[in-house]
């Protein structure tokens, strides 16, 4: 069965650079979520989209922005990167209204900021 | 504040043992609860989803129960195997006025080691 696809899988950036993470949800899934997992920590919710509209926002820095496109894929744009942004970034998708159904996670993008 | 706690933080058992992982949440107004498995440096694999109206869900050797009134969920793993070794996370989607925005609040996880 098709799973959530994230690209790139690994990304190394310098401080103050920008990064773009991409997420392709499971076919037919119309809700996308972004989470950040720091070393040894549990995932923290960043932002979610349903039918191309932002549905909820968590502890996402103002330096980050995201959107969901007409084909339901999503991109997380991160600017002015800081050392503390180094983490595993997960995208998840679900079918229908946010939270109603099971969330399926992608393999993650490991971002390292030097 | 809506929080999720998992006990124990780590568990080591011999192969074949039945075991229980615990998850507690501070607010009984949950929409649903999901159990995940995470291997080191990898993504999260969904194991079970329990809706707030359900008492339990089963999948193979896994059984998850939910008691909203006491703010607890348990994940029961039968006949554990070395391949079950991983971190197990529970996550809650909170009820916001009868609906959910989908944001998951995670516990810190239980690191399970099953030794041969």
């Amino acid at each position: 069965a098709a799973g959530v696809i994230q690209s790139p899988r690994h990304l190394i950036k310098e401080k103050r650079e920008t990064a773009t993470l991409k997420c392709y949800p499971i076919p037919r899934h119309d809700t996308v979520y972004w989470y950040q997992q720091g070393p040894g920590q549990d995932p923290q919710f960043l932002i979610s989209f349903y039918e191309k509209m932002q549905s909820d926002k968590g502890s996402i820095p103002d330096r980050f922005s995201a959107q969901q496109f007409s084909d339901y894929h999503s991109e997380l744009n991160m600017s002015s990167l800081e050392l503390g942004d180094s983490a595993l970034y997960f995208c998840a998708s679900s079918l229908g209204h946010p939270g109603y159904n099971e969330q399926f996670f992608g393999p993650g993008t490991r971002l390292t900021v030097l | 504040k809506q929080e999720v706690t998992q006990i124990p933080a780590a568990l080591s058992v011999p192969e074949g043992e039945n075991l229980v992982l615990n998850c507690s949440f501070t607010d009984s107004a949950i929409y649903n609860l999901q159990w995940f498995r995470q291997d080191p440096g990898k993504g999260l694999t969904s194991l079970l989803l329990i809706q707030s109206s359900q008492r339990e869900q089963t999948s193979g050797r896994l059984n998850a129960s939910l008691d909203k009134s006491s703010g607890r969920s348990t994940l029961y793993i039968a006949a554990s195997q070395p391949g079950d070794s991983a971190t197990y996370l529970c996550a809650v989607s909170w009820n916001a006025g009868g609906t959910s925005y989908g944001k998951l609040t995670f516990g810190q996880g239980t690191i399970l080691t099953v030794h041969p």
Side-chain angles (χ1 to χ4, degrees):
Chain A
V4 176
I5 298 172
Q6 290 188 247
S7 68
R9 294 292 309 278
H10 301 272
L11 193 56
I12 299 175
K13 290 287 184 179
E14 299 279 341
K15 277 192 335 183
R16 291 181 287 278
E17 285 190 322
T18 61
T20 297
L21 279 54
K22 297 185 179 182
C23 169
Y24 298 86
I26 291 172
R28 292 180 54 234
H29 283 196
D30 44 13
T31 302
V32 168
Y33 315 80
W34 287 96
Y35 294 85
Q36 176 192 59
Q37 186 176 32
Q41 299 181 356
D42 54 281
Q44 297 293 314
F45 172 77
L46 293 177
I47 195 166
S48 61
F49 295 88
Y50 171 55
E51 284 292 341
K52 293 153 280 184
M53 302 272 291
Q54 181 181 307
S55 60
D56 198 8
K57 194 171 181 178
S59 50
I60 182 170
D62 292 340
R63 300 178 287 108
F64 294 5
S65 65
Q67 58 180 320
Q68 185 179 33
F69 295 85
S70 58
D71 63 350
Y72 296 107
H73 94 272
S74 177
E75 295 184 4
L76 177 65
N77 297 294
M78 310 160 71
S79 62
S80 302
L81 288 168
E82 302 174 356
L83 296 178
D85 296 329
S86 295
L88 200 49
Y89 290 83
F90 289 111
C91 169
S93 74
S94 67
L95 181 63
H97 190 283
Y100 281 16
N101 296 307
E102 199 169 356
Q103 291 186 30
F104 294 91
F105 279 66
T109 293
R110 183 171 295 282
L111 172 67
T112 302
V113 182
L114 303 175
Chain B
K1 186 180 176 184
Q2 295 169 323
E3 294 180 334
V4 180
T5 305
Q6 291 185 246
I7 295 173
L11 183 63
S12 180
V13 300
E15 182 178 5
E17 193 161 297
N18 302 324
L19 57 99
V20 173
L21 306 180
N22 297 295
C23 172
S24 61
F25 40 93
T26 54
D27 188 344
S28 62
I30 73 168
Y31 202 86
N32 54 48
L33 184 147
Q34 202 166 344
W35 282 93
F36 294 90
R37 165 192 174 131
Q38 185 173 29
D39 293 288
K42 304 290 186 182
L44 282 72
T45 300
S46 177
L47 299 174
L48 290 163
L49 170 74
I50 309 181
Q51 299 289 356
S52 62
S53 58
Q54 298 175 313
R55 299 283 297 196
E56 64 178 85
Q57 277 282 15
T58 298
S59 176
R61 295 184 293 109
L62 305 179
N63 176 278
S65 67
L66 176 64
D67 184 343
K68 281 196 312 177
S69 61
S70 67
R72 298 180 66 175
S73 176
T74 60
L75 179 67
Y76 175 83
I77 302 176
S80 58
Q81 305 169 357
D84 294 330
S85 298
T87 297
Y88 289 80
L89 295 150
C90 74
V92 171
S93 177
W94 305 104
N95 188 323
T99 186
S100 168
Y101 295 111
K103 159 191 171 181
L104 289 177
T105 300
F106 285 82
Q108 294 281 2
T110 294
I111 301 172
L112 173 66
T113 303
V114 181
H115 48 88

